Every structure is written in C-alpha cells, then in structure tokens.
Amino acid sequence: MTTRIQQHRRYLMCRPEFFTVSYEINPWMHKADPTDTSKAVRQWQDLYDTYVRLGHEIELIDPIEGLPDMVYTANGGFIIDGKALGVKFSVDERRGEEQPFMDWFAGHGFEVVRPIAPQEGEGDILLVGDTILAGHGFRSSIESHAELAEIFDREVVSLKLVNPRFYHLDTAISVLDPVQGPGGVDRANIAYLPSAFDADSLAVLRERYPDAIEVAEEDGAVFGLNSASDGLNVIISPRAKGFEKQLRDRGYNPVLVDLSELLLGGGGIKCCTLELRGAQVPAAGAGSASALEADA
C-alpha cells in the first residue's frame, strides 16, 4: 500500500451567514424546501474546525447579504502560483459574486486575471499534478479551456459532464493527491463518478488514471466526491459509505463532515473550499478558530 503524505493546504472559505435557497439554478435547489441558516453555519463551522485541527490554513472572505451562494467559495476562482483567474458565471443570480472575489484576490497579493469565457472556478477546474482537468456541459464553456491553457501554461484536459445533478466537475471528481513529485506521490490520483461523463471523457479518465477510484452511484448521489484531500486525510460526507471504505483500502484517512444543509443549495465540502496556491496572504487576512468560535 502506498504511504500517504499529508500536505499543508491553504483554503479560502466564506461563513454562510446569509445562506438560503431563494432561487433555483441547479437540480438540488428547491425554494419550497425550508433551509436553516443557523444549521448551515454550525455545519460549516465543523468543516472549518476540521481543517484547523488538521493543521491547514484558512482565509476568510466576508459574506455579502443578497449573495447566499458565496459560501461556495470554490466557484470564486482558480489559483496557481499566485495567479488568480476570476470567474464569469453563466447564471445571473451569481454574477454579483464575481467582483468581490477578484477584489479579495487582489487585496491579498494575487495577480488577478479577469476571464473572458464563462467558467465557474474550481467548480469546473481541478489541478491534478501539472494537469488541469476542466469540465464543460452545464456551467462552464469549452472555450474557457483554451483561456486556461494560455493563462497558466499547463496542459488542459476537457471533460464533458452529461448528468445535470453533477453540473460541476467537483461534484464528479475528487483530487486525492494535491502534490505530485518531490514531497508528494509519484503520480497524483483521483476518484470519479463514471456516469457523470460522456463516453469520450470517460475513456480519457480511464486511460490517464488507471488506478483511480470509481465511485458508486449511491455515493455520488450524496456528494461523496465533493471532497477535499491533503494527500492523507480526505474530508467526505458521512453518507458516502462505499467511498469511505474505498479510501481506507487505499491508505487514505476519511474524515467525515456533514454538510447536509448546504447540500440544499447544491454544494458540499469542496464547494465550500477554494485552494490558495502561492502568494502569501497577509496575517491580517487570516481567519482564526477562536475568532470564528466567538461569532458562532
């Protein structure tokens, strides 16, 4: 069994003070279903505390009233080596988030690039080793993939999503190894839900990642793949029982965090977690567990 190596990660999160489902822009959202903002905050706090307990660094962007989906910070951008590509949402309801995220990046030392083609950040853009996996089919345009390749000078692999319940790539793929090469594993691996992709994309995944974990439908349906990994600890939904066993069998340590309330908005663990790669953030911008606990 491969020895798993925990990597220190830096994440951007947003406290869900204004979370609710006031519109319907994905199959998980139903305005008729009541949401409990206090419960969402408690569950989010558990995720935050889990990251802190594992030794990771968390930065915070202030929530804005009227933008209930800001909690899903993964959709706020995509960052490599201190360069932050902003987002261009395909739905009107979230366009108010675009500038606040780019302003935050600029204010914290990142080189900000304003996008041209529609794409929704780490919701549809995932870094696996030196390769960028980029989703399209629902929210992000395939035209954005050429833009990604030019901005970051990396290979971009296009993957087409075909199941509207898995409308973002991070609902159908989990990056299990954040570091490939020196200090990390020889070959970064993933887990994915086969039925989320068209035949051509599935063939690409199976060729590129022959050792990947293929997750069952029942685990995908509870957003089991919408997870975050530091190379050893993989934070997943407690309802993804099969995926939990698959991870243990591969030497990973599943850490269970329930974000059931935030799933009502179509988001989970990864949705609430934007990776910050490069560009040191000033200490004043960092969140602290004690400060958050005092607000809870």
Side-chain angles (χ1 to χ4, degrees), residues 10 57 59 79-84 104-105 108-111 276-282:
R10 291 173 55 226
E57 183 179 350
E59 313 297 337
I79 301 167
I80 303 177
D81 298 332
K83 184 180 290 185
W104 191 95
F105 299 147
H108 289 75
F110 293 95
E111 176 189 349
L276 301 173
R277 304 178 184 92
Q280 290 299 312
V281 179

Side-chain angles (χ1 to χ4, degrees), residues 13-176:
M13 299 180 69
C14 181
R15 184 180 171 90
E17 291 180 9
F18 304 112
F19 173 74
T20 187
V21 175
S22 57
Y23 45 76
E24 298 177 2
I25 57 173
N26 65 60
W28 302 84
M29 302 177 82
H30 303 286
K31 291 187 293 183
D33 294 341
T35 54
D36 184 336
T37 303
S38 296
K39 182 178 179 181
V41 170
R42 290 194 301 272
Q43 291 184 337
W44 177 93
Q45 183 72 47
D46 187 24
L47 178 62
Y48 178 97
D49 291 343
T50 297
Y51 287 142
V52 171
R53 175 173 55 82
L54 293 173
H56 302 309
E57 183 179 350
I58 307 301
E59 313 297 337
L60 297 173
I61 184 171
D62 291 334
I64 298 173
E65 190 170 3
L67 299 176
D69 287 346
M70 274 192 74
V71 62
Y72 305 127
T73 53
N75 303 143
F78 180 70
I79 301 167
I80 303 177
D81 298 332
K83 184 180 290 185
L85 175 64
V87 297
K88 186 175 182 179
F89 284 105
S90 61
V91 291
D92 291 339
E93 290 85 350
R94 298 198 66 182
R95 287 186 178 141
E97 300 173 40
E98 295 170 355
Q99 194 61 48
F101 275 105
M102 286 189 285
D103 289 345
W104 191 95
F105 299 147
H108 289 75
F110 293 95
E111 176 189 349
V112 179
V113 180
R114 186 180 296 275
I116 298 171
Q119 50 77 14
E120 301 196 354
E122 278 197 339
D124 271 329
I125 311 169
L126 300 175
L127 183 64
V128 186
D130 288 329
T131 301
I132 295 173
L133 301 183
H136 68 102
F138 294 105
R139 295 293 192 83
S140 297
S141 69
I142 195 167
E143 288 77 15
S144 69
H145 298 181
E147 191 176 355
L148 280 168
E150 180 179 356
I151 291 168
F152 294 107
D153 193 24
R154 307 267 182 133
E155 179 188 20
V156 176
V157 176
S158 297
L159 301 169
K160 185 174 183 178
L161 296 162
V162 294
N163 185 333
R165 285 174 63 79
F166 305 98
Y167 57 94
H168 275 151
L169 195 64
D170 70 355
T171 68
I173 290 181
S174 175
V175 180
L176 299 178

Side-chain angles (χ1 to χ4, degrees), residues 216-260:
E217 293 292 324
E218 53 266 32
D219 291 324
V222 294
F223 264 35
L225 283 161
N226 196 248
S227 61
S229 175
D230 62 19
L232 169 63
N233 304 291
V234 185
I235 297 87
I236 65 169
S237 165
R239 293 174 291 168
K241 298 299 185 184
F243 186 32
E244 179 184 352
K245 182 179 185 305
Q246 288 174 305
L247 289 169
R248 292 192 191 281
D249 289 346
R250 297 291 189 96
Y252 297 98
N253 177 42
V255 179
L256 310 182
V257 175
D258 182 16
L259 292 189
S260 59

